[in-house]
Amino acid sequence: MKRENSQNSHMNGKGPQPEKTASERYQALRNKGNAVTDDERLLSRPTQPLVSPKEPVSTERIAEEAHAFERALNFDFTMTDPWRVFRIIGEFVNGFDVLAHIPPSIAIFGSARTKTDNPYYAAAQETARLLAEAGFGIITGGGPGVMEAANKGAQEGGNLSIGCNIELPFEQASNPYLDISLDFRYFFVRKTLFVKYSSAFIIFPGGFGTMDELFEALTLIQTKKVSNFPVILYGSQYWNGLMDWLRGTMLEVENISPTDLDLLRVSDDPQEICKLVCDAYHRNNQLEKIEPRRETSIR
């Protein structure tokens, strides 16, 4: 899909307007009407009365300030569960506010340790580019490796590039190919946004974090907590061992059913992945028209 100019040539002689990036197009929707967000209301502070330093401070005011300061020193926010709830809510509110107007998007996962000369890096970049050209935004964890490759491909394809980063003990810096960048403290908030705003999961070779995202999606689809969406593994050489174990061990002892294995597809071809995603998206779109009351859960 070629990037279109946001405005056509005007008749006033000024010529065509500069082309807007994907982030600029969707930023305009978020700022429409200059609405004040909940975060802005939360962070605003009422005007305080001015007190001249020359005026004597009352003993009551001194005692009140001393008590407030002592309480602040001994208040550990991270150890107080009821207050932590507001921090969690804040992450949800900010995430929903930022992502509410993004186009249909695809989540791409994979190892942050993948180097730029690794074939999986090039494959992730190509897959993201094809999906972006087909009309999809790309959502990743916002870090290096496969995530960086996918965000780079999204920008090359002319569509929105989104990163949902997570705070870790070893700092994971955001990659430089992001139109929208969000930072999260809680994995479960981040994963909820991946599921809510993605029309498919593409899983490239990765470690524990990648496996977490993979089986989170499979569990939600299997238990019908979300509507069915494609989960595609890229790289048969990497994933065949897992697929053999699922069939030969997990299915053998009946811990999953044969239909559960149908939730997973394996491919080595970015073109095939793009076609699978597009076909599934159009099919689900038709189902929603035929069955408007169809359960879609949080999606």
Side-chain angles (χ1 to χ4, degrees):
M1 180 188 72
K2 294 184 178 178
R3 233 188 254 186
E4 297 179 357
N5 287 336
S6 59
Q7 296 180 355
N8 293 325
S9 299
H10 292 285
M11 302 302 293
N12 57 10
K14 292 183 179 180
Q17 297 298 305
E19 183 179 352
K20 287 187 176 181
T21 65
S23 58
E24 289 172 331
R25 296 200 305 272
Y26 292 97
Q27 185 75 19
L29 288 175
R30 292 183 55 222
N31 293 337
K32 191 175 182 180
N34 296 319
V36 178
T37 66
D38 288 342
D39 283 346
E40 290 176 278
R41 294 191 185 95
L42 179 66
L43 293 173
S44 63
R45 185 183 184 188
T47 303
Q48 302 294 315
L50 293 176
V51 177
S52 171
K54 297 180 180 179
E55 296 178 4
V57 181
S58 67
T59 54
E60 292 83 2
R61 178 68 179 270
I62 293 173
E64 180 183 344
E65 290 179 351
H67 178 65
F69 185 68
E70 181 181 355
R71 184 173 56 185
L73 288 176
N74 292 281
F75 180 71
D76 187 350
F77 185 90
T78 63
M79 297 300 292
T80 309
D81 285 339
W83 285 101
R84 187 184 287 119
V85 169
F86 291 104
R87 176 184 282 172
I88 294 167
I89 292 173
E91 288 204 354
F92 274 120
V93 169
N94 183 57
F96 291 154
D97 179 51
V98 171
L99 301 182
H101 301 295
I102 66 173
S105 297
I106 307 301
I108 296 181
F109 303 99
S111 176
R113 305 179 186 186
T114 302
K115 305 301 181 185
T116 55
D117 59 353
N118 189 307
Y120 292 133
Y121 187 101
Q125 184 177 338
E126 174 68 3
T127 302
R129 183 185 65 80
L130 292 171
L131 289 167
E133 290 177 348
F136 294 101
I138 300 297
I139 306 177
T140 77
V146 166
M147 296 172 281
E148 176 184 294
N151 289 126
K152 185 177 181 181
Q155 290 191 341
E156 290 175 348
N159 221 313
L160 200 62
S161 173
I162 305 157
C164 297
N165 215 326
I166 187 75
E167 293 181 10
L168 299 173
F170 41 95
E171 185 177 359
Q172 175 179 292
S174 297
N175 70 66
Y177 302 103
L178 300 175
D179 298 317
I180 293 176
S181 181
L182 290 168
D183 293 311
F184 294 91
R185 183 176 283 105
Y186 300 102
F187 270 107
F188 63 88
V189 177
R190 180 179 180 242
K191 288 194 289 186
T192 298
L193 293 176
F194 278 136
V195 172
K196 181 173 178 62
Y197 292 105
S198 300
S199 297
F201 276 20
I202 313 299
I203 314 290
F204 280 78
F208 287 164
T210 303
M211 298 290 279
D212 178 41
E213 303 291 356
L214 167 61
F215 284 103
E216 173 89 2
L218 292 176
T219 300
L220 291 172
I221 297 171
Q222 180 199 48
T223 56
K224 302 188 185 304
K225 291 296 183 180
V226 299
S227 55
N228 197 337
F229 62 94
V231 179
I232 304 170
L233 305 176
Y234 180 90
S236 58
Q237 184 177 2
Y238 189 88
W239 296 110
N240 276 345
L242 173 65
M243 296 302 296
D244 291 342
W245 181 79
L246 291 175
R247 296 189 194 96
T249 301
M250 193 177 284
L251 180 61
E252 187 69 23
V253 297
E254 299 182 348
N255 283 336
I256 57 173
S257 64
T259 55
D260 291 332
L261 286 176
D262 295 336
L263 301 178
L264 273 172
R265 296 289 297 269
V266 182
S267 177
D268 295 301
D269 183 5
Q271 292 276 1
E272 181 187 27
I273 290 175
C274 185
K275 185 177 187 307
L276 288 171
V277 170
C278 290
D279 289 348
Y281 183 80
H282 293 310
R283 186 167 57 249
N284 287 336
N285 200 31
Q286 285 299 115
L287 283 175
E288 289 181 5
K289 291 179 181 178
I290 298 171
E291 305 174 42
R293 296 183 180 179
R294 190 169 67 100
E295 174 60 41
T296 57
S297 188
I298 65 169
R299 293 166 52 76

